[in-house]
């Protein structure tokens, strides 16, 4: 939303996921192009996460209760947007423990992370990059096949605590960010391997986006979307 008006965006995503004897890597790059309501702004958002699975590394059974293994996650986010009213240029680093939950299929990971975030928005013309107060994040990510169907329920949810004052001296607010989707595997129907082509729909809810108080226009995003994925 911009001053109460809905914003349409086209998004192209490149994603890389792997697993190894130590855990796994996750890389996601979103390229977003807004419509005229948002000044046709272009935005890029890069996420990298490295999971160290202590059970795999030690080759020991670390399971207890609903937890299959424990580990640690480290990573970073980079964001830039050329909107004239702000022009975000954030850098974020995260680290903390991860609980790898025991699910019959797919994955379900719960992490408690510390977040070190900075910004140097073009419109602010700051003398140097501004660092917010270090703050905690509760992060849940999942990818769960729905029985023997070709549907998968995936996404992530985050609760991000307030990060002190913003770069203009105003308050920040805790954030709630949920992005959930249902994707259907079309691969076998088109003569492709299983999981190679998917299509579906999802919904993103982001309250107090980037820590802005909910009274700020555009601070709450409610975004339904349709999506298609091709896996190489």
């Amino acid at each position: 939303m911009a001053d109460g008006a809905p914003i349409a965006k086209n998004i192209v995503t490149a994603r890389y996921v792997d697993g190894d004897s130590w855990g796994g890597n996750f890389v996601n790059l979103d390229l977003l192009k807004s419509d005229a309501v948002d000044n046709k702004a272009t935005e890029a958002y890069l996420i990298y996460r490295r999971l160290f699975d202590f059970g795999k590394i030690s080759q020991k059974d670390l399971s207890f209760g609903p937890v299959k293994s424990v580990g640690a996650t480290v990573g970073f986010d980079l964001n830039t947007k050329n909107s004239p009213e702000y022009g975000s240029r954030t850098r974020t680093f995260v680290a903390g423990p991860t609980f790898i939950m025991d699910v019959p299929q797919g994955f379900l990971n719960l992490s408690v992370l510390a977040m070190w975030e900075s910004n140097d928005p073009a419109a602010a013309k700051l003398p140097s990059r501004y660092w917010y107060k270090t703050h905690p994040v509760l992060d849940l990510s999942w990818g769960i096949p729905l029985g023997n169907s070709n549907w998968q329920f995936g996404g992530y949810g985050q609760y991000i605590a307030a990060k002190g004052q913003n770069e203009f001296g105003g308050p920040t607010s805790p954030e709630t960010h949920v992005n959930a989707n249902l994707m259907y595997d079309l691969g076998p129907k088109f003569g492709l391997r299983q999981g190679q082509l998917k299509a579906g729909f999802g919904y993103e809810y982001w309250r107090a986006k980037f820590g802005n108080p909910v009274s700020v226009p555009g601070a709450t995003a409610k975004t339904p979307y349709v999506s298609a994925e091709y896996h190489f």
Side-chain angles (χ1 to χ4, degrees), residues 110-139:
L110 175 64
S111 299
V112 182
L113 305 172
M115 178 174 283
W116 297 267
E117 181 180 353
S118 69
N119 201 353
D120 186 18
K125 301 186 185 302
L126 301 173
S128 61
R129 176 166 290 275
Y130 180 82
W131 287 89
Y132 304 98
K133 180 181 177 181
T134 302
H135 50 289
V137 180
L138 182 65
D139 182 280

Side-chain angles (χ1 to χ4, degrees), residues 48-49 73-77 92-96 113-116 137:
Y48 172 71
R49 296 290 184 270
T73 295
V74 297
F76 62 83
D77 300 0
T92 302
F93 302 93
V94 298
L113 305 172
M115 178 174 283
W116 297 267
V137 180

Side-chain angles (χ1 to χ4, degrees), residues 19-193:
D20 55 34
S21 60
W22 282 33
N25 294 285
F26 174 84
V27 183
N28 191 93
L29 174 63
D30 286 337
L31 301 176
L32 306 93
K33 183 67 176 180
S34 300
D35 64 6
V37 176
D38 195 25
N39 298 299
K40 298 185 177 180
T42 300
E43 183 176 5
Y45 204 110
L46 175 66
I47 298 173
Y48 172 71
R49 296 290 184 270
R50 171 71 208 193
L51 171 63
F52 295 98
D53 183 336
F54 297 153
K56 282 187 174 182
I57 294 171
S58 66
Q59 297 185 351
K60 294 181 178 179
D61 182 5
L62 302 180
S63 63
F64 62 93
V67 176
K68 182 171 67 174
S69 186
V70 295
T73 295
V74 297
F76 62 83
D77 300 0
L78 300 175
N79 166 253
T80 181
K81 184 177 181 180
N82 65 354
S83 56
E85 69 277 5
Y86 188 60
S88 177
R89 294 180 292 196
T90 62
R91 297 177 187 171
T92 302
F93 302 93
V94 298
T98 295
F99 300 92
I100 302 164
M101 310 306 289
D102 190 5
V103 292
Q105 297 183 77
F107 71 92
L108 175 64
N109 294 342
L110 175 64
S111 299
V112 182
L113 305 172
M115 178 174 283
W116 297 267
E117 181 180 353
S118 69
N119 201 353
D120 186 18
K125 301 186 185 302
L126 301 173
S128 61
R129 176 166 290 275
Y130 180 82
W131 287 89
Y132 304 98
K133 180 181 177 181
T134 302
H135 50 289
V137 180
L138 182 65
D139 182 280
L140 183 70
S141 60
W142 67 89
I144 308 293
L146 300 183
N148 295 321
S149 72
N150 287 323
W151 288 96
Q152 176 171 298
F153 178 48
Y156 60 87
Q158 296 177 319
Y159 178 81
I160 306 171
K163 50 192 175 184
Q165 290 186 330
N166 63 27
E167 58 270 32
F168 302 105
T172 60
S173 295
E175 305 171 49
T176 301
H177 187 191
V178 179
N179 190 327
N181 59 71
L182 279 173
M183 301 296 290
Y184 186 81
D185 185 0
L186 294 168
K189 295 184 180 296
F190 289 90
L192 302 172
R193 69 175 186 273

